[in-house]
Amino acid sequence: MSRFGRLGTLLALAATLAGCGDGGGSSSTIGSNTGGSGGGTATGTVDNSCSLRNRQNWVSAQMNEWYLFPDTLPASLDPTPYTTVSDYIDALTATARAQRKDRFFTYITSIKEENAYYNSGASAGFGWRLTTDASMSRLLIAESMEGGPALAAGVDRGAEIQGIGTTASNIQSIADIVRADPNNGLYNALGSDTAGTTRYFRVADSSGGNVRTVAITKADFTLQPVSPRYGTQIITDNGQRYGYVNLRTFISTADPQLRAAFASFKQQGITQVVVDLRYNGGGSIDIADLFNNLLGGNRQTSDVMGYVAFRPSKSSNNETTYFAPQPESIVPTRLAFIGTGGTASASELVLNRTLPYMGSNTGLIGANTYGKPVGQIARDNAQCDDRLRVIALSIQNANRQGDYYNGLASVVPASCRASDDLTRKMGDPQEASTRAALDFLQGKSCTPISATASAQAAGEGPRKLLQPARPSVAQRDVPGLF
């Protein structure tokens, strides 16, 4: 069980990300059933029914007990006008959202769906991660997942989806789809998140520009946190060897994959590492702890890794985390973290916790991160399959640095701006962000990231990962996943 196992602690991003990048979130161990009555901003009592009003009252009670920003909750809020639990939660958190403290980080989800994903990476979809330009007129593949239908159809990073249809004869261009419905057109065109949903795509392949029509059917697949194709590498560049590790999501199955990666680094004497978290929306604190421990081979068990703090009324849950070096841990001399607006939560935590010990030998490469120095706990209403993920804790490094709600660009002492180059695979020494990371490790000069900088493709405007207003569990952790 994790340190906060009874609360189901996680660092999750969560929902609509309009105009500010992307994100996701995840869980470590799962919380307990917390049904019962209590005060709140809703009226009524909490009983054993699963009526909308009762579920809203239950949410209100949990928020009043646990929410990290209780002063932002309305003194009273009639749930009657809200036709869903999610809409009611959005209204409860509106003030904190306006203050950039809770940008849809508190949400309701399915216990069963969340358990299936966090325990094994189980998901249903095409198995690709989608990104768009600012106008949403171009839809591109940021990466395709092993075991997913998209990669099996030969559609991978850098390909462009030019049109979508339910048959080969009714494919509409991306521009027409967005023009007809700017808010939900693309999401509707991609179909429901259920196995067996088929769509026809006009695809321009990344190499050669070959355009073809391909039918792809959504299927259940297991997402690999570390890609077996490029997730772990030893890169030789300019006469020096560097480790490269790309983590997609902080779920439990990342544990053995990260250990294997660092065991390889340790065996080969690697001390400089590129940590690629460019699309990683966050996840389990346990896996974040493991990651920092694998990067902390020279740390002592008396060295503070970081702090977790709850609201004053729940301060008994506060905790100080200390390093616990693992058999696979390395002693790094320089670290280059690749990030974008899709880098959030646990990803930011790992980087932030290296700063007190590595200082300017840790660099942020790419673009500014999302900015989420808070975490959720799980409160379960099991009979209704409701899990409330409520912001309940703040996180800091050993120097008490936190509150990076505007991203880490203004926090890190060293950064280098770089684009996310879809023309090459991640981890390719010539891919723009990987190249910039290697240059940083080699001590070369660069242009720092501004606090408002966003990832850009070479020759294009800013891009952002495609994310629906109500993402699935997997999409919270793996932004852009469809």
Side-chain angles (χ1 to χ4, degrees):
M1 179 174 289
S2 70
R3 301 187 313 277
F4 302 107
R6 62 191 175 86
L7 300 176
T9 311
L10 75 156
L11 296 178
L13 186 49
T16 55
L17 303 163
C20 57
D22 313 275
S26 64
S27 168
S28 51
T29 39
I30 304 306
S32 59
N33 186 344
T34 59
S37 62
T41 55
T43 58
T45 59
V46 178
D47 54 35
N48 291 325
S49 75
C50 290
S51 67
L52 173 62
R53 184 57 170 261
N54 187 68
R55 293 168 68 213
Q56 290 169 326
N57 290 342
W58 175 80
V59 163
S60 177
Q62 305 309 311
M63 294 285 287
N64 270 268
E65 181 179 359
W66 289 99
Y67 197 49
L68 184 62
F69 314 112
D71 57 313
T72 67
L73 293 173
S76 63
L77 183 65
D78 181 6
T80 304
Y82 304 98
T83 58
T84 68
V85 177
S86 292
D87 288 342
Y88 182 58
I89 292 172
D90 289 347
L92 288 171
T93 60
T95 299
R97 185 183 313 151
Q99 298 173 2
R100 293 183 61 81
K101 294 178 178 178
D102 187 349
R103 286 171 282 163
F104 299 92
F105 304 152
T106 299
Y107 57 90
I108 197 82
T109 190
S110 159
I111 297 172
K112 294 177 182 177
E113 182 184 354
E114 196 180 75
N115 288 359
Y117 175 72
Y118 294 143
N119 292 337
S120 67
S123 182
F126 297 119
W128 53 28
R129 196 194 300 261
L130 301 178
T131 185
T132 71
D133 62 357
S135 66
M136 297 185 74
S137 62
R138 299 191 66 194
L139 186 61
L140 302 160
I141 310 299
E143 68 172 328
S144 290
M145 312 301 175
E146 300 80 14
L151 189 59
V155 183
D156 205 353
R157 178 174 171 86
E160 180 175 0
I161 299 175
Q162 297 183 340
I164 307 172
T166 56
T167 68
S169 61
N170 69 2
I171 293 176
Q172 289 184 289
S173 71
I174 298 303
D176 285 346
I177 292 171
V178 174
R179 188 179 302 114
D181 184 353
N183 295 322
N184 298 301
L186 287 179
Y187 311 124
N188 293 335
L190 290 165
S192 62
D193 291 330
T194 54
T197 299
T198 299
R199 289 294 182 268
Y200 289 76
F201 299 94
R202 185 165 61 245
V203 177
D205 292 323
S206 56
S207 58
N210 176 54
V211 179
R212 59 195 173 105
T213 297
V214 57
I216 306 179
T217 300
K218 292 185 179 182
D220 295 319
F221 69 97
T222 299
L223 187 147
Q224 296 292 321
V226 178
S227 169
R229 293 184 292 157
Y230 50 80
T232 301
Q233 301 178 51
I234 304 293
I235 299 173
T236 300
D237 188 77
N238 199 25
Q240 175 69 41
R241 292 190 305 167
Y242 303 91
Y244 172 90
V245 59
N246 182 308
L247 183 65
R248 290 168 170 159
T249 179
F250 289 72
I251 58 176
S252 60
T253 50
D255 184 306
Q257 295 180 345
L258 286 174
R259 289 182 186 276
F262 279 85
S264 174
F265 297 163
K266 184 174 184 178
Q267 183 181 24
Q268 300 189 55
I270 298 297
T271 63
Q272 301 188 65
V273 181
V274 177
V275 180
D276 196 340
L277 302 173
R278 73 182 75 188
Y279 305 137
N280 193 315
S284 159
I285 288 182
D286 286 347
I287 299 300
D289 289 353
L290 172 65
F291 212 144
N292 280 113
N293 281 320
L294 292 171
L295 291 168
N298 56 337
R299 300 270 61 84
Q300 305 300 313
T301 55
S302 58
D303 289 338
V304 172
M305 181 185 291
Y307 300 96
V308 170
F310 287 71
R311 59 193 270 182
S313 63
K314 295 293 185 181
S315 61
S316 61
N317 291 288
N318 292 356
E319 189 158 304
T320 302
T321 304
Y322 297 90
F323 279 93
Q326 302 296 298
E328 304 86 359
S329 296
I330 66 167
V331 179
T333 55
R334 282 177 76 81
L335 298 172
F337 285 83
I338 298 177
T340 67
T343 304
S345 304
S347 296
E348 294 173 300
L349 174 68
V350 172
L351 190 164
N352 190 46
R353 292 197 301 201
T354 68
L355 297 180
Y357 301 99
M358 298 289 292
S360 60
N361 287 316
T362 289
L364 172 63
I365 314 300
N368 194 15
T369 61
Y370 186 80
K372 182 176 177 289
V374 291
Q376 291 98 319
I377 62 170
R379 306 304 284 167
D380 285 359
N381 187 4
Q383 64 189 2
C384 304
D385 191 36
D386 279 343
R387 171 163 294 147
L388 177 67
R389 282 297 183 182
V390 55
I391 289 294
L393 58 97
S394 62
I395 52 177
Q396 300 172 328
N397 64 21
N399 288 346
R400 296 286 186 180
Q401 291 173 303
D403 295 336
Y404 41 84
Y405 290 101
N406 294 317
L408 288 171
S410 61
V411 174
V412 295
S415 68
C416 294
R417 186 174 181 178
S419 64
D420 179 21
D421 179 7
L422 297 185
T423 67
R424 299 177 185 272
K425 71 177 183 179
M426 290 176 281
D428 183 325
Q430 299 308 312
E431 186 275 322
S433 288
T434 308
R435 179 70 262 159
L438 293 170
D439 287 346
F440 168 79
L441 294 178
Q442 293 168 16
K444 297 179 181 179
S445 62
C446 64
T447 301
I449 300 169
S450 71
T452 58
S454 60
Q456 293 188 5
E460 298 177 346
R463 289 199 314 265
K464 62 178 182 179
L465 297 171
L466 189 67
Q467 191 81 330
R470 302 294 184 198
S472 68
V473 170
Q475 286 169 332
R476 296 182 194 278
D477 270 358
V478 188
L481 183 66
F482 284 88

